[in-house]
Amino acid sequence: MKSTILKSLLLASSLLVPVAAASAEECATAPVTVGFLPKLDTDPYFQVAQTGAEEAAAEIGGKAIKQAPSQATAEAQIDFINNLVSQKVGVIAISANDANAVAPALRRAQKQGVKVVSYDSDVSTAARTVFLNQAAGDSLAEMMLASMGKLINYEGEFAILSSTPTAANQNAWIDFMKKKMASDSVYAKMKLVQVAYGQESEQVNQQQALGLAQAFPDLKGIIIPAGIGLPAAARAMEQAGLLGKIKLTGLAPATLIKKYIQDGSVQDIWWNVKDLGYLTYYAAQAVATCKLTGKEGEEFTAGRLGSYKVGAQGEVRLGPAEIVTPANVEEFKF
């Protein structure tokens, strides 16, 4: 009886392994369903990016669906990864809350034949084919730091109000800013007093912004590299009568903070968010058909955006961002 059971188990395992391996290597012959998994379902940033993905789907076929958690945690995203696999999507496009924590679930998805790309916030390189980056990470960090410097005349205390402690893109930006301040004498009189976290919540961002103002009476500015955080902090500061005394800069939909940009109390670094979703969809379909493998130097075409080339570690950059000021704010429709 034992030998019969053992033979059955061995036979089952011999059948399962080749199927998983083969399916992981399959190349789609027609457009597939791409499951977009952003950090948070309610973030308007990702809702606008999704409209770009849907525009691309209308052009080349396939389907762009979006499913996301109501809490910005890796654990919540893992459940959605598993759900998308069970729905048999062809590609998962993820903006990770934690680059490493979601990687095992993504690798399991790959073994089951689902391709993976990341956008906005990267994952471990072993868990995806390409990363669609909104702009060069170092350039965004440098622009935010330079913007803060100009707002406070390159002198005094400032803080950073990030999203979560595990957000890979924002952690990389913060590390760059710290190194830039240590190496560039133009920032010699600026002092970073604290890095706080808004946890992808409007209420928490408001509380943290006010908490920083109370904790540091001489605070001159806050860098907020999070789409939800900057508008929330600006509203809180305005209500407390602190906006203007404490300058704000960071990343956010320009239309949400337009009046603050126009009065000079806030600056913004931004790009075309819709185009990020559009580019991600084109890249995902190229990955699904094995026309894009993530190798440095590969090129692909993304509809109206034109041709793109894969850089080091599978990174594809949408393009340069801009500092939004009173002079150019009307150019930004989101």
Side-chain angles (χ1 to χ4, degrees):
M1 183 68 176
K2 289 182 179 179
S3 62
T4 302
I5 294 172
L6 180 59
K7 287 178 181 178
S8 298
L9 290 171
L10 289 172
L11 177 60
S13 64
S14 68
L15 290 172
L16 285 172
V17 173
V19 169
S23 62
E25 297 300 325
E26 283 181 2
C27 301
T29 56
V32 301
T33 295
V34 180
F36 281 77
L37 176 49
K39 295 177 181 178
L40 190 68
D41 186 49
T42 54
D43 191 334
Y45 175 93
F46 293 109
Q47 293 169 5
V48 172
Q50 193 67 19
T51 66
E54 291 165 359
E55 178 190 342
E59 292 176 359
I60 61 174
K63 193 174 182 181
I65 63 173
K66 179 173 75 74
Q67 298 181 4
S70 57
Q71 292 185 323
T73 66
E75 291 75 14
Q77 280 192 312
I78 289 169
D79 288 338
F80 280 86
I81 291 169
N82 297 334
N83 288 339
L84 288 169
V85 171
S86 68
Q87 293 175 45
K88 301 187 183 301
V89 300
V91 182
I92 292 173
I94 183 171
S95 175
N97 283 312
D98 187 318
N100 296 315
V102 297
L106 292 173
R107 286 196 290 268
R108 288 194 297 271
Q110 289 173 318
K111 290 178 181 178
Q112 295 180 66
V114 179
K115 311 282 189 191
V116 178
V117 302
S118 58
Y119 73 114
D120 175 71
S121 182
D122 201 6
V123 299
S124 168
T125 55
R128 50 79 170 161
T129 301
V130 291
F131 167 43
L132 291 309
N133 199 354
Q134 55 265 56
D138 288 356
S139 74
L140 287 175
E142 189 161 11
M143 290 172 79
M144 283 188 276
L145 185 60
S147 174
M148 184 84 278
K150 290 175 184 176
L151 285 168
I152 65 173
N153 296 318
Y154 294 93
E155 185 174 355
E157 296 181 349
F158 75 100
I160 296 174
L161 178 52
S162 190
S163 61
T164 65
T166 56
N169 54 346
Q170 294 177 24
N171 285 341
W173 299 335
I174 293 168
D175 287 342
F176 177 90
M177 286 187 244
K178 289 177 178 178
K179 291 175 183 176
K180 184 70 175 177
M181 289 178 65
S183 62
D184 193 335
S185 60
V186 73
Y187 301 109
K189 294 183 179 180
M190 289 173 58
K191 181 181 179 182
L192 174 59
V193 291
Q194 186 172 327
V195 177
Y197 301 96
Q199 302 298 338
E200 292 284 353
S201 163
E202 288 190 24
Q203 183 177 5
V204 176
N205 273 290
Q206 291 174 345
Q207 292 169 346
Q208 291 282 22
L210 293 173
L212 288 169
Q214 292 169 358
F216 302 98
D218 296 325
L219 192 70
K220 288 189 174 182
I222 307 175
I223 295 175
I224 310 171
I228 289 177
L230 186 51
R235 287 191 296 272
M237 290 297 191
E238 181 183 36
Q239 291 169 5
L242 295 171
L243 195 61
K245 176 188 175 185
I246 297 177
K247 304 285 189 175
L248 306 179
T249 190
L251 308 179
T255 53
L256 297 183
I257 52 173
K258 182 177 178 180
K259 71 172 184 176
Y260 305 122
I261 293 171
Q262 289 174 325
D263 69 21
S265 56
V266 176
Q267 282 189 359
D268 188 23
I269 290 84
W270 208 232
W271 52 88
N272 191 315
V273 177
K274 183 177 180 180
D275 285 353
L276 180 61
Y278 183 94
L279 175 63
T280 300
Y281 188 84
Y282 266 92
Q285 293 293 355
V287 168
T289 56
C290 301
K291 294 176 182 176
L292 191 60
T293 67
K295 183 179 178 181
E296 186 172 358
E298 284 182 328
E299 292 188 27
F300 70 102
T301 301
R304 60 176 171 76
L305 296 179
S307 180
Y308 282 83
K309 183 177 288 189
V310 179
Q313 296 185 317
E315 181 188 31
V316 178
R317 295 175 182 171
L318 173 64
E322 294 184 60
I323 295 180
V324 187
T325 66
N328 66 4
V329 68
E330 298 295 344
E331 298 173 15
F332 294 83
K333 305 305 179 185
F334 173 75

